[in-house]
Amino acid sequence: MISVGLALPGPTLAQSTSHRRAAGQAAAVRAAATPAAVSTPSVPPTGAAVGSGRTVGTAASGTLMGMSILPDSGQTETVSVTGGMSGGNGVTNTTPGGGLMPVERAPRSQSGMTRDYIAKQAPTTSIDNLVASLPGVVSAKIDPLGMFPNDTMTMRGLTQSQIGFLFEGAPEADPLSYVTFSPTLVDNENIGSVTVSQGSPDLDGPLLNAVGGQISTFEINPSHRMGGYVDVMGGTHSGNKEFARFETGDIGNSGVRGFVSFSYTSANNWRGPGDQFRYHVDSKFVKEWGQGNSIRFILGFNRQSINAMLNPTLQQWRQMGDHYNLDATYTPGDVNYYKFSQVNSNVVNIVAPMQFTLTKELQLNLTPYYVHEYGPQVGGENIPVSGGYFGAATYGTPGSQYGALTQPYATNGYLTALLNDPWNQKNSGLNSTLRWTHGNNTLTFGWWYSYAAHTERYQYDLVNYAGNPVTGYGLNPVRLSNGQILSGDNLNFWQQVNALYVSDNIKLLHDKLQIGGGFKAAMMYRSGTNNLPGASPWKATGSYFEPLPQFYASYQIDRHDQVFINGTTAFRAPVSVEAYTPDYDPNSGQIAKAGSLKPEYSIGEEIGYRHTGFYNFSISLFNLNLTNHNISSSGYIPGSTSPVAEPINAGGETSRGVQAEFGLGYWHHFSPYLSGQYLHSTMDNNFDAGADILPTKGKISVGSPKFTGAIGLQYDNGTVFGNFNLRYVDSQYTTFMNDESIPSYTTSDLTLGYRFRSIGPARHPQIQLNLINIGDVHYLAAAGSTTGNAHTMVGMHGAVVAGSAPIYLTGAPFAAFVSMSSAF
C-alpha cells in the first residue's frame, strides 16, 4: 500500500483523470456510510420565475417517479411573505429560510436552495460550497474564491465520489472516479436552484455511484425579455471576476428564447506562490410549445488553470501552519517548485433535455448529453538516468533492452522532469423515460444508455537548470534509447452502461396517501489496458449486474403536514482505473496493484416528517448498511508531486442518525434558518493493512463528524440586504484506527448589500460585500488522505504495522470581495 503521509501539493491530487482524480485531494478514504435511493424530478420545476429556478410563492412542482410532489394542482402551497420582489439577479425573497428551505414534497430527506440565497453569496462560490449549510453536508472551503477543483465534500459521512451529481438531468461526475469538479460546471450567476437528497438517489436518474444520495442543479430559465446582466467583483488575494450575460428574449414567433454568458476569474493563491484563472461560457436555449412540450439546449465550456498548494501532515501543520508551502524559486532537483504543480481543467458540456406530451395520459422525457474533459495535469519528479523502470522492465541495467537515458541537465544521476499528463475523456449517453398516468395510477418505464472512453499516456518533459521546460510543455518528452516515450501509464479504458427501470405509483384517500415502488436493473461492462512492458495484468475487464429495488410512501396529513417512509438501494462500481490495471513509476516500478472488483451496495431506510407554511420544519431518521466499501486510497509517489491511487475494499459499514432543519418565511424582512445532524457511523470489519490485520471493527468511520450544524439569518427590505451563515463541524477521524483526527471548527460568512433604484437602462443595480471566514479561523478543513493507522502498532496477529501520517487540506482564511451588478 502506498504511503499517504507525504505532505506535497494538494490540488495535484485532485487530478482530472480517472486514476489521477481518484487520488483526489480529499483523498477518497473517508470510510463512512449513508442511505441511498428514491427519486425526484429529472426535469426542472415548472412555473418558475425567471432566474429563480423555483415557483414563486408555491411549492416546486414535478413528479417523483410518478408520485406527485404537490398535494394537488388545486392545492397551492402558500408561503407567508412580507412581499415579493423581482431583482435583476433573480432574488424574489419568497423562499423560507432565506432561500435555504423551499417547499419539498418528495418522500425522502431533501433540502434545497433558490436564487434568494445563491445570489447573496460571493459570485465565485461553487455548488459544493453553496450547499454547506444544509443538514448532513460538510463542504471544506480550502480556497476563498471556491475555484479549486477538489473532492472536498461529504454528506452523512460519505465522500463526494459516493454522491450522484446531476446538472439539468445529466450526470456530471467522472464516470470512472466519480469525482465532480463543480467549479467547472456553471457560473454562480446562472444557477437557478440546487436540490440535495442526503440519502436517496433518483431511481430514474442516470447515476452509478449515488450510494450516498444526490445533488441536482438547474440553470436559470432564459428571460422572455431581451436584456442582460453584468457582475464585476474584486477583493483580497487579487481576486477578481467579470461576468456578462446576454438574454435574447423571445425570438420572433419561434417560441425560442435563450442566453449566453461569459466570465473571467483570477486570483493569487492565498498561501504559497502561484495563481489561478478561469474562462467560462454558459448558454441555454429553450423551445416550448403546446401543453407540456419543451426542448432545452445547454452548452458550457470551461478552461481553468491552478497552481497547487502544499498540504501538511498534522505535525507539519502544528509546526508551520499556513507557511508550509511550495517553493517560490527553483534550485536544480527541487520537485517542490510551484510551477511544477498545475491543474488544468478543460470541459465541454452539452445537455439537451426534451419533454413531449404524446397524449393526455402519456409523457416522454429524453435527456441526451455529452461531456468532454481533458488536461493536461502537471507534476514534478526526479527520474533516474539508469536503473529505472519502464513498466515492469528496467532501463540502463545489464541485459536490459533499453539503455540509459541520454538527455542533458542530469544532477547526481537524476533528471528533473515535469510529469505531463494529457488525459482525454469523453462521456455520452441518453436517459429516456415514458410515463403513463391513468386515473390515480402512474406507471413509468425507462432506459439509460451511456458510453465513456478514457485515454491517457503521460510523459516526462525535461526541464533545464532554471526549472523551465527545455522546449515547452509536451513538445520534447524524455525518450528511451529505442525512441519510445518513457511513461508509467499507457491507458485505454472504456465502459458501457445499460440500465432499465420501472416504477408504479398509486394515490389513495383523496390523493393524501401515495404509495410507490420501483425496480432498476443496472448493467455495466468495463475494459481497460495498460500497454507498458510487463504490465500485469495488462488488460482487465469488469462486468456487473445489480438489481436495485425501491419503496416509498407518503401521507399528506393536511395542506401543511406530511410524513414519509422509504426503503432504497444503490450501488457504485469500483473506483478508478487502478481497480483493473496497475500503475508504474520510473523510480519504483509497480506502485499500485489492481484492487477488488466487487461493487459497493447500499440498503437504506428513512422515516420523516415535514411541516410547511410560515414556519417550515423537517426531521428524518436514517439507517444505512453498506457492503464492499470501495476506497481509493491516495498518496504521492515518493520523491515526486505526482499522485497515485490504490483501490481498497474496506468491507461493510453501518450509519445511523437524525437530521433536521427549520426556516421561517420573511417576517419584518428577516428570515432565519437552522439545520443540524447527529451521525453514528462505524466500520463493520477489521482492516487488512498488508503486514497484519488492524482491529477496526466498531471504530468510527473516517470523515464522519458526530455533530454538524448551521445557523443562517437573512435580512432584505428590498433596498438594504444582508446574509449571515455560521457552520459547526465536529472532529473527524482520519485513520481507520481512530488514532488521529481533525479538530472541530466553526466558521462564519457575512454578506452586506445595497440596491439602487433603476438608472436609465440599468435595472436594479446593486453593490454587495461578501466576507468569508469573518473570524479568520485557522483550521484544518478535511483529510487530504487517510490511512489505516497514524502511529506504529502491533496487529491482531502480532506483526508490526508501521504508521502512516495522513495529510490535510488547510481551510481558507478571511477574505473580502466587493461586487457590483446590474440587469439591463
Side-chain angles (χ1 to χ4, degrees):
M1 177 179 174
I2 300 300
S3 169
V4 289
L6 302 175
L8 294 171
T12 5
L13 284 179
Q15 305 281 359
S16 298
T17 70
S18 61
H19 78 291
R20 307 265 170 228
R21 277 188 171 181
Q25 230 182 36
V29 193
R30 296 187 186 91
T34 259
V38 192
S39 177
T40 205
S42 295
V43 295
T46 57
V50 174
S52 71
R54 289 273 181 171
T55 304
V56 177
T58 69
S61 60
T63 58
L64 177 60
M65 290 295 292
M67 179 174 287
S68 173
I69 294 179
L70 277 174
D72 237 353
S73 59
Q75 298 182 24
T76 303
E77 181 70 27
T78 58
V79 179
S80 300
V81 297
T82 57
M85 57 170 288
S86 181
N89 56 6
V91 172
T92 61
N93 286 340
T94 56
T95 306
L100 284 172
M101 206 166 178
V103 174
E104 304 290 353
R105 294 297 187 194
R108 64 180 179 188
S109 300
Q110 187 163 288
S111 306
M113 63 182 60
T114 68
R115 291 297 300 170
D116 289 352
Y117 176 81
I118 297 168
K120 292 169 184 174
Q121 307 310 302
T124 58
T125 305
S126 67
I127 297 170
D128 296 350
N129 292 148
L130 283 175
V131 300
S133 291
L134 299 181
V137 178
V138 176
S139 180
K141 196 175 187 70
I142 62 173
D143 165 41
L145 271 74
M147 284 177 56
F148 268 60
N150 296 298
D151 177 16
T152 58
M153 186 186 71
T154 64
M155 198 155 69
R156 291 184 178 174
L158 293 187
T159 66
Q160 190 167 332
S161 67
Q162 294 168 289
I163 300 167
F165 202 107
L166 296 176
F167 177 65
E168 292 282 353
E172 293 296 339
D174 183 303
L176 303 178
S177 72
Y178 310 118
V179 174
T180 302
F181 293 156
S182 68
T184 68
L185 286 180
V186 60
D187 270 317
N188 176 285
E189 292 88 346
N190 293 329
I191 300 175
S193 66
V194 182
T195 301
V196 175
S197 169
Q198 288 88 346
S200 307
D202 294 349
L203 182 66
D204 59 349
L207 300 169
L208 285 174
N209 66 309
V211 293
Q214 73 178 42
I215 297 176
S216 299
T217 302
F218 290 100
E219 284 188 321
I220 61 172
N221 287 322
S223 173
H224 289 277
R225 174 186 178 277
M226 181 182 292
Y229 182 77
V230 295
D231 191 3
V232 180
M233 185 204 80
T236 53
H237 315 295
S238 299
N240 69 92
K241 179 178 182 179
E242 295 78 45
F243 171 91
R245 180 174 68 234
F246 170 69
E247 301 267 6
T248 67
D250 291 324
I251 303 176
N253 296 319
S254 66
V256 176
R257 66 187 193 276
F259 70 76
V260 178
S261 71
F262 171 80
S263 71
Y264 172 77
T265 311
S266 67
N268 295 328
N269 283 355
W270 68 269
R271 60 184 181 92
D275 55 18
Q276 53 184 304
F277 69 82
R278 173 182 181 264
Y279 295 92
H280 189 85
V281 174
D282 285 325
S283 65
K284 182 177 184 178
F285 287 82
V286 176
K287 163 68 175 178
E288 297 173 329
W289 73 96
Q291 297 295 319
N293 299 294
S294 67
I295 296 176
R296 308 192 308 279
F297 180 80
I298 297 98
L299 170 64
F301 171 76
N302 190 85
R303 181 188 172 214
Q304 186 166 324
S305 180
I306 292 175
N307 284 116
M309 293 187 292
L310 199 62
N311 291 335
T313 63
L314 186 60
Q315 181 179 359
Q316 291 162 340
W317 163 256
R318 288 170 175 169
Q319 290 176 345
M320 303 184 67
D322 296 345
H323 300 291
Y324 188 79
N325 298 314
L326 290 170
D327 299 327
T329 58
Y330 178 72
T331 55
D334 181 12
V335 297
N336 285 341
Y337 182 42
Y338 80 98
K339 289 186 178 180
F340 289 178
S341 298
Q342 299 177 18
V343 179
N344 293 282
S345 301
N346 300 284
V347 181
V348 177
N349 192 21
I350 300 173
V351 188
M354 308 175 192
Q355 181 174 308
F356 304 102
T357 301
L358 305 180
T359 69
K360 184 179 180 180
E361 296 182 337
L362 204 60
Q363 185 184 75
L364 175 66
N365 293 317
L366 303 173
T367 304
Y369 61 90
Y370 172 79
V371 182
H372 183 194
E373 301 177 89
Y374 53 99
Q377 178 83 25
V378 179
E381 185 171 356
N382 288 317
I383 56 178
V385 171
S386 61
Y389 293 86
F390 178 42
T394 58
Y395 61 85
T397 57
S400 173
Q401 60 177 313
Y402 310 105
L405 303 180
T406 58
Q407 283 82 359
Y409 303 108
T411 302
N412 298 324
Y414 285 86
L415 295 173
T416 302
L418 295 176
L419 191 158
N420 191 336
D421 191 355
W423 56 275
N424 194 321
Q425 183 171 276
K426 299 175 182 179
N427 181 26
S428 60
L430 171 66
N431 191 29
S432 55
T433 301
L434 184 64
R435 182 170 291 115
W436 177 52
T437 301
H438 181 73
N440 62 350
N441 194 78
T442 299
L443 186 63
T444 302
F445 299 93
W447 170 51
W448 170 42
Y449 175 78
S450 173
Y451 182 86
H454 177 92
T455 58
E456 179 180 359
R457 182 179 66 176
Y458 64 74
Q459 63 189 44
Y460 292 92
D461 293 342
L462 187 66
V463 300
N464 58 28
Y465 290 133
N468 299 317
V470 173
T471 55
Y473 289 102
L475 299 180
N476 187 21
V478 173
R479 295 180 181 270
L480 297 162
S481 57
N482 65 349
Q484 286 183 273
I485 294 175
L486 179 64
S487 180
D489 266 349
N490 189 356
L491 300 173
N492 190 339
F493 203 92
W494 64 273
Q495 77 172 26
Q496 186 170 240
V497 176
N498 279 279
L500 300 173
Y501 50 88
V502 60
S503 72
D504 188 58
N505 176 75
I506 188 170
K507 301 178 182 179
L508 303 171
L509 304 178
H510 304 288
D511 293 347
K512 289 187 173 183
L513 176 64
Q514 296 192 53
I515 301 174
F519 182 85
K520 187 174 189 175
M523 297 158 281
M524 172 192 281
Y525 181 79
R526 284 176 168 175
S527 178
T529 61
N530 191 354
N531 295 306
L532 290 179
S536 180
W538 76 274
K539 179 179 181 179
T541 61
S543 183
Y544 311 97
F545 173 83
E546 295 293 337
L548 303 171
Q550 290 191 2
F551 166 80
Y552 39 86
S554 70
Y555 183 76
Q556 198 69 35
I557 301 171
D558 54 36
R559 61 183 301 181
H560 297 292
D561 300 278
Q562 180 195 33
V563 292
F564 63 84
I565 189 172
N566 65 65
T568 59
T569 59
F571 95 105
R572 183 179 68 149
V575 180
S576 80
V577 172
E578 283 80 5
Y580 303 87
T581 59
D583 255 350
Y584 293 87
D585 176 71
N587 282 283
S588 311
Q590 182 170 303
I591 55 176
K593 298 180 180 179
S596 170
L597 299 183
K598 293 182 180 179
E600 282 183 343
Y601 195 88
S602 66
I603 301 175
E605 303 88 24
E606 290 181 322
I607 183 170
Y609 162 81
R610 58 171 62 101
H611 173 87
T612 60
F614 174 67
Y615 75 90
N616 297 264
F617 173 73
S618 70
I619 186 170
S620 59
L621 287 79
F622 58 86
N623 175 75
L624 177 82
N625 296 106
L626 186 67
T627 59
N628 294 315
H629 187 186
N630 280 225
I631 296 171
S632 186
S633 183
S634 66
Y636 290 95
I637 298 170
S640 78
T641 57
S642 303
V644 64
E646 182 170 350
I648 298 171
N649 188 332
E653 289 186 7
T654 299
S655 293
R656 296 186 176 97
V658 57
Q659 70 173 56
E661 59 182 337
F662 172 85
L664 285 182
Y666 286 81
W667 180 71
H668 294 286
H669 310 300
F670 285 96
S671 182
Y673 174 81
L674 299 170
S675 71
Q677 176 180 272
Y678 168 79
L679 174 68
H680 182 70
S681 179
T682 58
M683 299 181 66
D684 294 341
N685 301 96
N686 295 321
F687 178 69
D688 187 351
D692 204 339
I693 305 298
L694 297 179
T696 57
K697 183 177 181 179
K699 297 290 185 181
I700 300 298
S701 300
V702 175
S704 300
K706 180 175 290 187
F707 295 102
T708 55
I711 299 173
L713 180 64
Q714 183 162 250
Y715 175 85
D716 195 333
N717 68 1
T719 301
V720 177
F721 63 90
N723 183 286
F724 172 78
N725 289 279
L726 181 145
R727 305 175 185 96
Y728 170 78
V729 179
D730 209 346
S731 60
Q732 306 170 61
Y733 288 114
T734 55
T735 65
F736 296 155
M737 282 302 299
N738 294 173
D739 60 353
E740 192 165 294
S741 64
I742 300 173
S744 62
Y745 60 88
T746 302
T747 59
S748 55
D749 303 330
L750 179 67
T751 302
L752 298 172
Y754 185 87
R755 296 188 188 91
F756 299 91
R757 294 182 179 180
S758 296
I759 306 172
R763 295 188 298 115
H764 311 293
Q766 71 173 43
I767 184 170
Q768 179 172 302
L769 170 66
N770 290 99
L771 302 177
I772 310 299
N773 189 3
I774 56 178
D776 195 23
V777 178
H778 293 257
Y779 65 103
L780 296 176
S785 68
T786 56
T787 65
N789 52 303
H791 307 289
T792 299
M793 60 173 293
V794 176
M796 297 179 69
H797 297 158
V800 175
V801 180
S804 180
I807 56 177
Y808 297 92
L809 307 182
T810 305
F814 169 80
F817 303 106
V818 176
S819 58
M820 299 186 67
S821 62
S822 178
F824 293 93

